[in-house]
């Protein structure tokens, strides 16, 4: 579904050039859930933005569904770290924003918006304004908005990182449930190892400066996965430990 | 028969009040704070005004100030009632000039702000020019406006426009530029056109700021109308003040001033009410 080949990104910084990403090769299969982890500054968000068509790689090619990405695609949606809701639009109208911009059929999508809101536990909140909702609820609305056009690919840039731990876990579980009902290829950026393991089919570990693909870890724990009551907690811990080891030496090596 | 009924009635009411005694007490308490709140909202300002008017009155009597210097409140009220029709007609003239000039500055100012916010090139071309024009004291232009446009309504509307235009352009342009980065990215990720981005996100987001500019402008608008009327007019409240000054009819001038104040307040709070209605989501209206 998504293919990155020899992708590099160089930013012109104040002290010369900064290699954000260096020669990345990655293939994400259809309906796969891939998480990108790495320390801050490893270029994981940059990678996501290139897949989204918000950023053009300095060299190499990115393709989605076999077509080179040159600008944002209609079948790819992006979810941000912040809810990015329009403060004057009630919840339902916020969810329907992509429908308006992409010129899709409003009536059928209105029904779908109601379903999505129900799925994330926001039934009855359709007419509320964003400022009347908690941070977690706002991010749920944002999630519904990114799913409204039935995207083939959902790109998520640390979507739960601004939330408290409990809300975050709740949303991780909800995201898995939604995904079981609706097949979508997801690339999810996070700096939380636990989150990465909990959600992913494969965890892609990036090293920092320049961002290189360090390791891809398969997570074969059956779904649905939760952090608390989980028969597979041991396996989650095991994979997490492996990832920790992958990420930590890089850090000591760098600071030394 | 009726006596028995009466006794029963009393008993029944007593039986009802006793167990329910707590509830009415609470209700009374709530009513008390309501009255106190209403007093703080309306009572005290009104009281303050009454005290000031009383002192004013007292001063005119105690120091026996001449009517043509400082008229007493009663003289002003008399002037009102005596010339009610005339004053109303002149108020209407000034109000029209104010509102028309204000409307004109919106119609011209908002599109210019849109241009400024949409292109750095246009901003660099127009902005210094705007600053220069704004730096000239508007009162200095008033006599020339009379030379150009005569004594009619037009120079007044233009003067109001000149005063209102700048704050509206500045606040609208800065509002249009304050779209948060995440909303800009959202619009980009949906591959929205510039027009879509403008009407669905950037303009609505700027509206609270636009309204700030409107509120600044409307306060200046009345000033503009009066200035223009001072310089050369045959109607309007500014004209009334100049005329009554010349004939030492100070009470009439005071009445006209009070009406100007009233127009200002009504326009400003009308706009504020409109804002609260239209933009309930804006931070300052929550």
């Amino acid at each position: 579904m998504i293919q990155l080949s020899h992708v590099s990104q160089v930013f012109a910084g104040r002290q010369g050039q900064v290699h954000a990403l260096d020669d990345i090769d990655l293939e994400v299969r259809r309906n796969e859930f891939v998480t990108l982890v790495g320390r801050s500054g490893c270029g994981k968000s940059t990678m996501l933005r290139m897949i989204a068509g918000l950023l053009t790689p300095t060299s190499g090619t990115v393709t989605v569904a076999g077509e080179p990405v040159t600008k944002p695609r209609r079948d790819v949606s992006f979810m941000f770290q912040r809810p990015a809701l329009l403060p004057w639009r009630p919840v339902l109208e916020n969810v329907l924003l992509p429908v308006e911009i992409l010129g899709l059929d409003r009536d059928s999508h209105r029904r779908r918006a109601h379903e999505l809101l129900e799925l994330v536990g926001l039934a009855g909140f359709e007419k509320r304004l964003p400022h009347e909702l908690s941070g977690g609820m706002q991010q749920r609305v944002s999630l519904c908005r990114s799913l409204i056009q039935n995207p083939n690919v959902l790109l998520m840039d640390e979507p739960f990182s601004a939330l408290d731990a409990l809300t975050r876990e709740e949303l991780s579980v909800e995201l898995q449930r939604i995904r079981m009902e609706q097949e979508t290829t997801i690339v999810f950026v996070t700096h939380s190892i636990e989150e990465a393991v909990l959600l992913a089919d494969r965890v892609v570990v990036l090293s920092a400066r320049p961002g290189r693909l360090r390791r891809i870890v398969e997570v074969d724990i059956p779904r649905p996965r939760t952090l608390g009551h989980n028969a597979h907690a041991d396996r989650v811990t095991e994979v997490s430990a492996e990832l920790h080891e992958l990420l930590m030496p890089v850090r000591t090596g760098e600071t030394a | 028969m009726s006596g028995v009924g009466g006794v029963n009635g009393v008993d029944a009411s007593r039986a009802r009040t006793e167990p329910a005694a707590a509830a009415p007490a609470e209700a009374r308490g709530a009513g008390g704070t309501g009255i106190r709140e209403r007093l703080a909202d309306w009572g005290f300002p009104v009281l303050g005004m009454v005290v000031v008017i009383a002192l004013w009155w007292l001063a005119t009597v105690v120091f026996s100030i001449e009517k043509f210097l400082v008229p007493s409140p009663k003289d002003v009220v008399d002037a009102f009632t005596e010339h009610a029709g005339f004053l109303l007609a002149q108020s209407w003239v000034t109000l029209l000039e104010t509102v028309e000039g204000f409307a004109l500055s919106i119609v011209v100012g908002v599109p210019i702000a849109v241009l400024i916010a949409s292109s750095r090139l246009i901003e660099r071309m127009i902005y210094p020019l705007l600053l220069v024009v704004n730096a000239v004291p508007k009162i200095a232009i008033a006599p020339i406006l009379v030379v150009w446009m005569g004594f009619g309504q037009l120079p007044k509307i233009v003067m109001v426009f000149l005063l209102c235009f700048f704050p509206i352009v500045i606040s609208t342009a800065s509002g249009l530029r304050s779209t948060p980065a995440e909303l800009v990215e959202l619009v980009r990720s949906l591959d929205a056109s510039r027009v879509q981005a403008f009407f669905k996100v950037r303009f609505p987001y700027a509206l609270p700021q636009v309204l700030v500019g409107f509120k600044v402008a409307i306060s200046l608008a009345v000033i503009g109308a009066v200035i223009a009327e001072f310089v050369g007019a045959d109607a309007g409240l500014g004209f009334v003040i100049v005329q009554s000054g010349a004939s030492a009819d100070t009470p009439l001038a005071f009445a006209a001033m009070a009406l100007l104040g009233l127009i200002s307040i009504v326009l400003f709070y009308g706009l504020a009410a409109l804002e609260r209605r239209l933009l309930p989501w804006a931070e300052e209206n929550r």
Side-chain angles (χ1 to χ4, degrees):
Chain A
M1 190 71 204
I2 304 169
Q3 179 113 36
L4 286 82
S5 40
H6 304 294
V7 167
S8 298
Q9 182 69 47
V10 181
F11 293 114
R14 219 170 286 160
Q15 279 120 17
Q17 293 181 327
V18 180
H19 283 261
L21 284 174
D22 191 36
D23 201 26
I24 301 282
D25 279 298
L26 179 68
E27 200 191 336
V28 180
R29 293 183 287 265
R30 179 173 289 273
N31 299 334
E32 193 180 19
F33 199 135
V34 167
T35 53
L36 302 178
V37 279
R39 298 184 42 236
S40 33
C42 70
K44 47 193 193 300
S45 289
T46 305
M47 224 166 119
L48 208 63
R49 284 188 154 62
M50 291 190 315
I51 301 170
L54 294 170
L55 194 70
T56 315
T58 313
S59 64
T61 52
V62 180
T63 63
V64 171
E67 297 164 23
V69 176
T70 51
K71 61 172 198 159
R73 293 168 58 97
R74 308 176 63 129
D75 59 343
V76 176
S77 73
F78 204 102
M79 184 174 169
F80 302 92
Q81 187 173 355
R82 305 226 275 165
L85 301 177
L86 303 180
W88 56 90
R89 282 187 177 227
V91 165
L92 184 70
E93 297 303 311
N94 258 298
V95 175
L96 287 170
L97 179 76
V99 174
E100 287 171 27
I101 290 185
L102 300 174
L104 306 171
D105 175 58
R106 228 184 123 81
D107 286 337
S108 61
H109 284 86
R110 181 180 287 272
R111 226 170 304 132
R112 176 159 168 71
H114 280 289
E115 286 167 21
L116 283 169
L117 286 169
E118 183 147 10
L119 215 57
V120 298
L122 284 178
F125 287 89
E126 290 86 352
K127 296 210 166 93
R128 298 290 188 92
L129 287 171
H131 73 86
E132 298 171 311
L133 307 180
S134 69
M137 291 159 98
Q138 290 184 10
Q139 201 57 311
R140 285 181 167 94
V141 176
S142 183
L143 179 62
C144 292
R145 180 181 62 195
S146 61
L147 290 168
I148 187 77
Q149 79 261 43
N150 265 315
N152 291 325
V153 176
L154 176 55
L155 305 170
M156 308 177 84
D157 191 5
E158 302 190 28
F160 307 148
S161 64
L163 305 174
D164 66 273
L166 287 174
T167 312
R168 193 177 174 147
E169 216 181 301
E170 248 172 52
L171 272 163
S172 305
V173 174
E174 271 165 33
L175 180 60
Q176 293 183 71
R177 205 179 61 223
I178 287 169
R179 200 168 150 270
M180 286 161 89
E181 298 195 11
Q182 183 199 338
E183 304 226 291
T184 313
T185 311
I186 300 181
V187 182
F188 186 110
V189 164
T190 177
H191 52 241
S192 155
I193 290 173
E194 276 194 331
E195 197 169 71
V197 174
L198 184 71
L199 292 171
D201 298 322
R202 284 191 300 161
V203 181
V204 174
V205 184
L206 294 173
S207 66
R209 285 188 201 105
R212 285 206 178 98
L213 215 148
R214 193 169 156 80
R215 177 86 68 84
I216 295 177
V217 180
E218 299 265 350
V219 185
D220 47 8
I221 307 167
R223 293 178 189 274
R225 307 170 187 155
T226 53
L227 273 182
H229 318 275
N230 197 325
H232 313 279
D234 288 349
R235 183 73 184 117
V236 173
T237 318
E238 206 176 300
V239 179
S240 297
E242 190 184 341
L243 290 172
H244 258 287
E245 258 166 55
L246 274 173
L247 286 164
M248 290 321 213
V250 179
R251 180 186 212 164
T252 48
E254 229 180 44
T255 46
Chain B
M1 262 311 269
S2 69
V4 173
V7 169
N8 273 351
V10 167
D11 276 352
S13 76
R14 195 174 289 159
R16 238 179 285 124
T17 41
E18 268 173 57
E26 248 169 56
R28 225 174 290 130
T33 56
I35 285 166
R36 197 170 298 166
E37 266 166 31
R38 218 167 301 159
L39 209 67
D41 277 357
W42 292 101
F44 293 124
V46 168
L47 186 70
M49 214 185 263
V50 167
V51 168
V52 168
I53 290 173
L55 284 175
W56 164 20
W57 204 329
L58 201 67
T60 56
V61 174
V62 170
F63 303 113
S64 52
I65 300 173
E66 293 286 354
K67 195 167 143 185
F68 72 87
L69 283 176
V70 180
S72 75
K74 189 183 171 298
D75 298 330
V76 177
V77 172
D78 286 347
F80 259 125
T81 47
E82 211 174 303
H83 306 283
F86 172 71
L87 281 171
L88 224 60
Q90 304 314 309
S91 301
W92 180 245
V93 169
T94 304
L95 181 68
L96 267 188
E97 290 163 359
T98 306
V99 172
E100 284 172 6
F102 178 67
L104 184 67
S105 61
I106 292 174
V107 170
V108 177
V110 171
I112 287 187
V114 171
L115 280 177
I116 287 175
S118 64
S119 150
R120 286 273 158 204
L121 189 80
I122 294 173
E123 184 189 347
R124 276 207 209 144
M125 272 168 56
I126 297 181
Y127 215 74
L129 199 70
L130 279 180
L131 285 173
V132 169
V133 170
N134 189 56
V136 177
K138 303 304 173 300
I139 307 174
I141 308 173
I144 302 167
L145 289 181
V146 175
V147 173
W148 287 343
M149 302 167 195
F151 291 86
Q153 305 266 81
L154 189 61
K156 285 83 186 174
I157 293 168
V158 171
M159 178 54 82
V160 173
F161 165 79
L162 285 173
L163 279 170
C164 295
F165 176 70
F166 201 70
I168 287 177
V169 170
I170 296 299
S171 59
T172 304
S174 80
L176 286 172
R177 265 203 229 99
S178 65
T179 318
E182 72 253 26
L183 291 186
V184 173
E185 281 245 279
L186 169 73
V187 162
R188 272 195 68 204
S189 77
L190 289 167
D191 202 22
S193 69
R194 274 180 78 120
V195 174
Q196 283 177 325
F198 180 80
F199 284 108
K200 296 220 182 279
V201 178
R202 288 180 58 214
F203 190 67
Y205 196 88
L207 276 178
Q209 282 256 50
V210 174
L211 259 294
V212 169
F214 284 6
K215 283 194 284 187
V216 172
I218 199 76
S219 328
L220 294 171
V222 181
I223 298 175
V226 175
I227 289 172
E229 285 171 358
F230 278 177
V231 174
D234 44 24
L237 287 172
F239 165 74
V240 171
I241 290 170
V242 171
Q243 288 295 302
S244 49
S247 60
D249 190 355
T250 318
L252 186 62
F254 268 58
M257 277 154 57
L259 281 170
L260 281 172
L262 192 69
I263 288 176
S264 259
I265 289 170
V266 166
L267 287 176
F268 183 85
Y269 284 99
L271 212 51
L274 190 74
E275 183 189 14
R276 266 197 301 279
R277 235 193 118 78
L278 291 180
L279 313 171
W281 52 272
E283 254 155 75
E284 52 272 28
N285 299 332
R286 284 178 198 168

